[in-house]
Amino acid sequence: MAETNDHSVANGALLFDPPSNLQNEAHVKSMQQYQKMYKQSIEDPETFWREISAQFYWKSPPTGKFFEYNFDVGKGPISIKWMAGAKTNICYNMLDRHIANGLGDKVAFYWEGNDPNDFGKVTYSELLARVCKFSNVLKNLGISRGDRVAIYMPMILDLSVAMLACARIGAIHSIVFAGYSSESLAERILDATCSAIITADGVWRGTKLLNLKKIVDDALKICDEKGHRVEKCVVVRHLSPSDEVVKTNVNGDIEEEPEACRPSRKLKINWQAGRDIWWHEMMTSVSTECEPEWMDAEDPLFMLYTSGSTGKPKGVLHTIGGYMLYTATTFKFVFDYQPEDVYWCTADVGWITGHSYVTYGPLGNGATGLIFEGTPFYPDAGRFWEIVDKYRVTKFYTAPTAIRALMKFGDDFVNKYKRDSLKILGTVGEPINPEAWLWYYRVVGNSKCAIVDTFWQTETGGHVLTPLPGATPTKPGSATFPFFGVIPALLTEEGKVIEGPGEGYLVFKQPWPSLMRTVYGNQERFETTYFKKFPGYYCTGDGAKRDEDGYIWITGRIDDMVNVSGHLLSTAEVESALITHKNVAEAASVSHPHSIKGECIYCFVTLKQGAEYTNDLVTELKNIVRAKIGPFAQPDFLQNAPALPKTRSGKIMRRILRKIAVGDRNLGDTSTLADESVIDVLFQNRPNNA
Ligand code: PRX
């Protein structure tokens, strides 16, 4: 395939200029323009963001300073405030504002079901009516401003309705990805003391049927046992027709496998009278109008849990005003939003990418988005590109793990479809290897689309390092340069700033509007995790290097987190699941490279005296992790470890375990090991497939 706009640069890396057709229409057309805007955004953030804030609706302006913060633990509590005292409502800004500007009949979302024959759409006016109705439902259930509402739902339009309704009445949503186990869900409900939960009966993912209601029932039982009663459980009837719902205490199993994956008529669910309520029944008797609750810009919008290195998830808290500004602005510039776009982000709304770039960022711009319920492989590995052609998607955003998985199926699945509507292809969640980048660029994008490799985190709320598609020449594998308002730095272990080329800890010097405000209910943990190590900086937990041209390359986590298919897991979380098995004395888990997932989990397990390491035990241990965290956390490798390598003070040396996991005998300094003889045994016990 002819490539017209890539050429080698001095340091050997490929450099791709922005596609010229895109450049002509782009909001930012050159590096000079980017640099000028960037300079203003960091030298005078107040003016920069004040101008942007004027595009939104505010009931009243900020009462104090537009922007104030403290990033230095030595100078008092860490605090970040944007537009404090200003009154607004984010749902109003996502819907009513656009309708007032004539966008009422514009499609807000297309919906594509797991089955290619299930699809639908909703316009801005229709979405507002549904959101208002559900806002009234929530109010009727006694939910009001400041209450926490858990959401555990599949990728259906009602998920967006539920989150926007919470925002409309000032309730704080806490969405839990509907792939987490009942225990993980319960842990999150308890931490946030949610008073209600919104879910659906079940969902098809490819050929698998998930009984979501059963998982919720189990989670609520755990909450009850721990003394917290969730009063209301609203259930969307997505699969089960009313006559098949078994309102007795059955175990929720499927009666038989259906022939095709059309919405099942076989799903049985439990029903607890008084607590469980059908969504559709509540929606019949409520008004399509609901006055928004006028909130402070610094009131919480949502919390979203992310893994923490101690094993206990952290409730990352985002507030209304800054998050609204930043997600809309990054969406506009990074996907170079144009009114006729059809934009598709494949992320589940249960992760931050789905919050910021399925829901709030696109709606903040009045864009047309697409919500997809299924998987890239069902009915076959051409599904993504079939959908791209069906809706003529112009901007597409997915994860490197999906790209790598699809690459394995070969180019034919892609080439079967035209994909001629595509202009920008984005990636997020983990470092993208140049091979996958180039396949995305050449095969999916026909060498005509800009690739935007966006680096960010649950904590950052929106993109922080990213190319701008009409301006930034890209290098495969580099997230390139900071977005407006973001000041990255690389630090040495001692906290010295590395100027020019080099490698170090990636930190940020001052807040942009959507940086997290705290860890819900635990300000101390917020400060310790992100601000203690390098006073004056927000610490990402990632390593990065800067090359001769100033491009930033993320090298990966520098803490005990594993990035499995773009989802962060803490090794401690997996270890605490493993040690709940009666035969396990101790466990240590580390990251191991994986050709599709990027990283996977490799566990070393020390058994109690007399216990035997068998294949059955390995299966049991994998199942424990699935049950305690979720199927996506299942370890790929487990090995018997009669002992673990420890320092004399008893600390597990994970650096050595990582080497053993990949079979690398180049261990470096082992002088601090208490007992070197364990090493050989561990090498001998490596599983054959590792
Ligand atoms: O390690 C970085 C990696 O994902 C982490 C954040 O994970 P999470 O909070 O779950 O949010 C994922 C979606 C925003 C980061 O600390 N990461 C994310 N994007 C990239 C990345 N690593 C390299 N390149 C990226 N583009």
Side-chain angles (χ1 to χ4, degrees):
M1 195 168 296
E3 288 182 7
T4 51
N5 59 348
D6 62 326
H7 48 89
S8 288
V9 288
N11 64 10
L14 286 169
L15 188 71
F16 292 78
D17 288 332
S20 51
N21 54 334
L22 199 98
Q23 210 159 11
N24 297 336
E25 68 171 18
H27 297 298
V28 183
K29 296 178 171 51
S30 66
M31 280 307 272
Q32 288 82 346
Q33 193 187 346
Y34 157 73
Q35 277 148 0
K36 195 170 156 229
M37 289 173 74
Y38 177 71
K39 192 161 179 280
Q40 192 219 340
S41 75
I42 58 167
E43 286 176 358
D44 185 4
E46 175 163 344
T47 306
F48 185 87
W49 292 107
R50 195 186 276 282
E51 274 171 24
I52 287 174
S53 74
Q55 297 156 18
F56 294 87
Y57 177 78
W58 304 89
K59 189 99 179 150
S60 60
T63 46
K65 285 193 179 154
F66 188 85
F67 166 44
E68 56 183 327
Y69 76 102
N70 172 38
F71 256 20
D72 189 342
V73 277
K75 294 192 180 140
I78 300 296
S79 80
I80 302 152
K81 286 186 184 153
W82 288 86
M83 301 166 289
K87 295 279 179 282
T88 190
N89 182 284
I90 193 168
C91 175
Y92 183 91
N93 273 289
M94 303 287 115
L95 303 177
D96 312 56
R97 179 174 62 101
H98 299 309
I99 295 166
N101 290 334
L103 294 187
D105 293 333
K106 185 172 179 180
V107 173
F109 288 116
Y110 288 109
W111 179 74
E112 171 83 7
N114 180 63
D115 185 291
N117 296 314
D118 280 344
F119 51 90
K121 64 181 177 195
V122 62
T123 64
Y124 272 86
S125 297
E126 289 163 350
L127 185 56
L128 175 63
R130 273 163 81 166
V131 167
C132 285
K133 281 172 85 172
F134 196 64
S135 302
N136 289 324
V137 167
L138 291 175
K139 284 191 189 172
N140 289 346
L141 295 176
I143 294 159
S144 60
R145 189 182 177 121
D147 288 346
R148 277 82 53 219
V149 175
I151 297 181
Y152 188 80
M153 286 174 87
M155 287 285 282
I156 55 177
L157 291 173
D158 292 332
L159 170 52
S160 310
V161 173
M163 58 200 297
L164 290 167
C166 287
R168 194 166 189 89
I169 66 165
I172 306 168
H173 58 72
S174 173
I175 305 183
V176 180
F177 168 60
Y180 273 110
S181 66
S182 48
E183 287 199 24
S184 295
L185 173 59
E187 188 177 17
R188 285 156 178 75
I189 294 174
L190 288 167
D191 188 79
T193 53
C194 296
S195 51
I197 183 164
I198 306 162
T199 188
D201 45 8
V203 66
W204 283 104
R205 295 271 302 158
T207 53
K208 248 195 232 144
L209 176 60
L210 305 178
N211 190 331
L212 299 182
K213 177 65 166 57
K214 163 96 168 88
I215 297 171
V216 170
D217 288 340
D218 292 347
L220 297 189
K221 191 160 166 251
I222 298 172
C223 293
D224 274 345
E225 284 162 7
K226 301 213 165 153
H228 175 71
R229 177 164 295 266
V230 175
E231 298 292 339
K232 297 292 171 201
C233 173
V234 183
V235 187
V236 173
R237 197 165 78 195
H238 183 47
L239 298 184
S240 49
S242 50
D243 56 345
E244 289 274 343
V245 174
V246 179
K247 296 192 177 186
T248 55
N249 198 16
V250 295
N251 62 9
D253 288 341
I254 313 160
E255 283 186 326
E256 63 191 51
E257 280 294 318
E259 280 161 24
C261 294
R262 290 283 300 155
S264 163
R265 301 298 166 207
K266 300 288 181 192
L267 190 72
K268 285 181 172 184
I269 58 171
N270 289 340
W271 203 257
Q272 188 172 310
R275 184 196 69 184
D276 297 346
I277 307 144
W278 282 118
W279 169 295
H280 62 274
E281 284 178 5
M282 296 291 288
M283 289 286 267
T284 54
S285 55
V286 281
S287 156
T288 53
E289 280 172 28
C290 174
E291 172 70 10
E293 184 78 22
W294 298 106
M295 307 293 292
D296 192 296
E298 279 300 338
D299 276 336
L301 174 62
F302 67 85
M303 75 239 339
L304 180 60
Y305 286 83
T306 185
S307 294
S309 47
T310 59
K312 187 176 154 44
K314 305 181 285 258
V316 170
L317 189 92
H318 284 287
T319 56
I320 295 166
Y323 181 82
M324 173 168 82
L325 246 55
Y326 198 78
T327 51
T329 309
T330 44
F331 177 79
K332 174 178 166 187
F333 287 106
V334 175
F335 296 110
D336 197 54
Y337 172 64
Q338 305 291 337
E340 65 283 2
D341 275 336
V342 176
Y343 160 84
W344 179 20
C345 167
T346 68
D348 195 289
V349 170
W351 306 109
I352 190 68
T353 308
H355 281 62
S356 302
Y357 299 111
V358 175
T359 310
Y360 290 110
L363 292 180
N365 284 274
T368 294
L370 193 149
I371 292 181
F372 176 45
E373 180 187 34
T375 87
F377 316 106
Y378 180 78
D380 65 35
R383 186 72 191 276
F384 271 3
W385 323 121
E386 182 194 342
I387 297 174
V388 164
D389 279 3
K390 179 172 172 184
Y391 298 94
R392 301 213 41 84
V393 171
T394 52
K395 318 277 165 82
F396 177 75
Y397 194 27
T398 198
T401 183
I403 300 167
R404 285 191 298 265
L406 291 170
M407 242 172 106
K408 294 233 156 144
F409 285 89
D411 299 0
D412 289 352
F413 279 109
V414 188
N415 290 332
K416 216 172 126 190
Y417 301 96
K418 292 214 293 279
R419 293 158 286 112
D420 57 341
S421 52
L422 289 172
K423 293 181 181 174
I424 295 173
L425 302 173
T427 84
V428 57
E430 47 175 321
I432 180 162
N433 45 318
E435 197 195 355
W437 195 105
L438 289 168
W439 186 80
Y440 201 29
Y441 177 77
R442 290 177 177 147
V443 181
V444 176
N446 259 335
S447 303
K448 288 194 194 110
C449 299
I451 305 274
V452 286
D453 173 0
T454 60
F455 167 85
W456 58 295
Q457 308 176 297
T458 305
E459 294 87 338
T460 67
H463 308 138
V464 282
L465 300 178
T466 175
L468 296 186
T472 317
T474 46
K475 296 185 185 186
S478 168
T480 73
F481 302 109
F483 190 74
F484 304 131
V486 174
I487 312 177
L490 300 184
L491 301 184
T492 63
E493 180 67 41
E494 296 72 40
K496 245 184 84 210
V497 175
I498 300 167
E499 308 281 0
E503 185 168 347
Y505 289 86
L506 176 66
V507 299
F508 294 109
K509 208 170 162 207
Q510 72 182 31
W512 53 94
S514 72
L515 180 61
M516 70 185 292
R517 299 301 195 255
T518 190
V519 169
Y520 182 74
N522 201 339
Q523 173 76 8
E524 193 189 330
R525 188 162 180 213
F526 171 59
E527 299 193 356
T528 312
T529 312
Y530 304 103
F531 295 94
K532 277 256 162 74
K533 188 168 170 74
F534 301 115
Y537 295 97
Y538 164 81
C539 185
T540 58
D542 283 293
K545 60 183 188 218
R546 192 188 292 110
D547 69 16
E548 287 76 15
D549 304 318
Y551 282 68
I552 299 177
W553 303 70
I554 306 296
T555 52
R557 300 293 305 184
I558 32 105
D559 49 15
D560 288 328
M561 305 291 252
V562 187
N563 192 327
V564 181
S565 302
H567 306 312
L568 281 189
L569 284 166
S570 76
T571 49
E573 206 174 352
V574 176
E575 288 156 11
S576 21
L578 292 172
I579 56 167
T580 60
H581 190 284
K582 62 179 190 319
N583 290 349
V584 174
E586 195 170 23
S589 58
V590 294
S591 165
H592 182 278
H594 188 282
S595 65
I596 291 177
K597 298 180 190 178
E599 293 176 28
C600 66
I601 294 173
Y602 189 117
C603 305
F604 296 82
V605 184
T606 307
L607 297 184
K608 288 185 183 153
Q609 202 113 47
E612 216 185 316
Y613 195 86
T614 61
N615 286 341
D616 284 349
L617 176 77
V618 169
T619 311
E620 280 170 32
L621 292 175
K622 285 185 177 178
N623 285 339
I624 283 189
V625 179
R626 290 173 70 94
K628 297 242 169 238
I629 306 172
F632 64 93
Q634 176 177 308
D636 279 54
F637 304 106
L638 285 121
Q639 82 158 75
N640 187 8
L644 291 167
K646 291 187 180 166
T647 60
R648 281 180 196 90
S649 60
K651 217 170 159 243
I652 297 172
M653 294 184 74
R654 287 165 196 282
R655 174 178 66 77
I656 290 186
L657 290 177
R658 276 193 286 271
K659 294 268 186 177
I660 296 170
V662 293
D664 179 359
R665 287 200 172 255
N666 215 341
L667 297 181
D669 182 11
T670 53
S671 59
T672 50
L673 265 178
D675 174 10
E676 268 198 73
S677 68
V678 301
I679 303 289
D680 274 341
V681 182
L682 291 179
F683 270 110
Q684 279 158 22
N685 282 356
R686 291 181 70 244
N688 296 333
N689 57 346

